Amino acid sequence: MSKPTPTSVLSLSPIVLPAPGRAVDLQVRVSAPVTGSNLPILLLSHGHGRSNHLSSLNGYAPLANHFAAHGFVVIQPTHLDSKTLSLGPDAPDAPLFSHSRAQDMSRILDQLEVIERAVVGLAGRLDRSRVAVMGHSMGGHTASLLLGARYKDSHGTEVNLYEPRIKAGVVLAAPGRGGVALSKFAAENYPFFSTTDFSRMTTPALVVAGDKDDSSHLTVAGPSWHADPYFLSPGPKSLVTLFDAEHGLGGVSGYDVAETTDENPERVAAVQRLTWAYLRTALHPGDSAWQEAQDALTGAAQPLGRVESK
């Protein structure tokens, strides 16, 4: 199936979900097509970032708008590491709130009825059997955990946040392996990265990495570090390597944002097409969208990237 014609989108925020034990209740934005039924659900996790608002439910409009216009109900939480919440460095799980971030997504799935009631016209239109997760940067780490990756906490206890209700995922410019691959800064400030284990990340996923994304503040391994979630996890997985792409992948975190170092609307459009097509096929087995998107990418006169799968 080729990509459907984009439709108008209804977006509502903030919807506040009760979250006992969390520092604050969970705020989400919901973006949905105004028509259609049996709509798949996409949980979209923001990165950590330097900006004040992109790292919240107000960010990632290029992805949220695209997916909602093409048949997904997109749900975006504000994770506890967002600068909009201004939680102090002494808060439990600070500063990146790796554990809480993944729990946010499970809380959302637990409270889909609350979300349906809050958004006019949404009730009865969700397909709860087709749930996907997507995350960029630290959000990619969150997605990896929900797809089955694990790490050890400060006490040496393995943290398992696998979410079986999620059937497929997209991991964008995400952190890779720990150990000697980490920079001194990352090892000292984000020790949970040191124990990341992708060997049980079994849920089908697409990993997207830029071949110029060296992220030197986090890793000494260079751009290939961001492909680790593909190479170090079991299949089925696919990897898109975008040529000349840096950490922003052309600008996925927002329109015309200052922190994008490789602004490129064509690259963003490619990310939109490829990620939508991958999830469309992953959630609707037999659909041709993913193969069509791969053919379009690799068959171009000047391809923007390459694809491999296992």
Side-chain angles (χ1 to χ4, degrees):
M1 170 184 171
S2 298
K3 184 160 52 175
T5 301
T7 187
S8 298
V9 171
L10 172 67
S11 185
L12 180 64
S13 71
I15 299 171
V16 181
L17 304 179
R22 195 175 185 268
V24 296
D25 284 338
L26 178 59
Q27 295 189 18
V28 303
R29 173 186 296 276
V30 177
S31 301
V34 297
T35 60
S37 59
N38 297 316
L39 301 172
I41 299 164
L42 177 63
L43 307 178
L44 179 53
S45 179
H46 63 73
H48 184 61
R50 302 187 303 273
S51 63
N52 291 319
H53 292 279
L54 292 176
S55 295
S56 76
L57 57 76
N58 293 312
Y60 291 83
L63 297 177
N65 293 345
H66 183 83
F67 272 82
H70 292 90
F72 280 74
V73 174
V74 182
I75 306 176
Q76 298 174 258
T78 293
H79 296 302
L80 290 180
D81 63 311
S82 174
K83 289 185 178 179
T84 63
L85 300 178
S86 300
L87 297 182
D90 296 329
D93 206 22
L96 297 184
F97 296 92
S98 56
H99 192 279
S100 169
R101 279 171 146 270
Q103 285 183 317
D104 288 345
M105 300 312 208
S106 293
R107 289 182 191 271
I108 289 170
L109 295 179
D110 290 341
Q111 299 190 59
L112 288 176
E113 291 184 3
V114 176
I115 291 171
E116 281 188 306
R117 290 195 299 267
V119 181
V120 175
L122 187 60
R125 298 172 60 209
L126 299 179
D127 186 346
R128 301 184 188 203
S129 70
R130 292 188 169 101
V131 179
V133 65
M134 178 190 298
H136 173 248
S137 192
M138 187 59 194
H141 183 265
T142 300
S144 294
L145 295 177
L146 293 163
L147 297 170
R150 303 185 186 186
Y151 69 94
K152 292 182 180 178
D153 64 17
S154 59
H155 303 291
T157 301
E158 185 176 72
V159 177
N160 177 9
L161 295 164
Y162 168 70
E163 177 50 80
R165 289 173 288 186
I166 294 174
K167 305 307 180 184
V170 174
V171 178
L172 303 169
R177 66 192 184 280
V180 298
L182 293 185
S183 68
K184 181 180 179 182
F185 173 84
E188 292 177 350
N189 291 275
Y190 310 133
F192 63 91
F193 280 154
S194 298
T195 57
T196 301
D197 176 10
F198 296 107
S199 66
R200 284 172 284 186
M201 196 174 97
T202 55
T203 306
L206 170 65
V207 176
V208 181
D211 68 1
K212 296 294 176 59
D213 181 8
D214 62 13
S215 298
S216 59
H217 63 299
L218 295 177
T219 182
V220 297
S224 64
W225 188 61
H226 296 287
D228 283 349
Y230 171 77
F231 288 109
L232 301 181
S233 68
K237 298 289 186 299
S238 292
L239 170 67
V240 169
T241 303
L242 295 172
F243 303 149
D244 297 320
E246 299 177 13
H247 197 60
L249 303 179
V252 298
S253 64
Y255 298 115
D256 300 324
V257 300
E259 68 182 48
T260 299
T261 58
D262 65 332
E263 187 170 21
N264 186 316
E266 186 181 11
R267 185 174 297 136
V268 173
V271 173
Q272 292 170 330
R273 290 192 301 268
L274 289 159
T275 56
W276 179 89
Y278 177 85
L279 290 180
R280 171 71 197 183
T281 297
L283 297 177
H284 299 83
D287 190 286
S288 63
W290 175 229
Q291 187 60 57
E292 292 171 9
Q294 293 180 79
D295 293 344
L297 177 72
T298 59
Q302 293 184 312
L304 295 177
R306 63 177 182 270
V307 185
E308 54 193 287
S309 299
K310 64 180 183 180

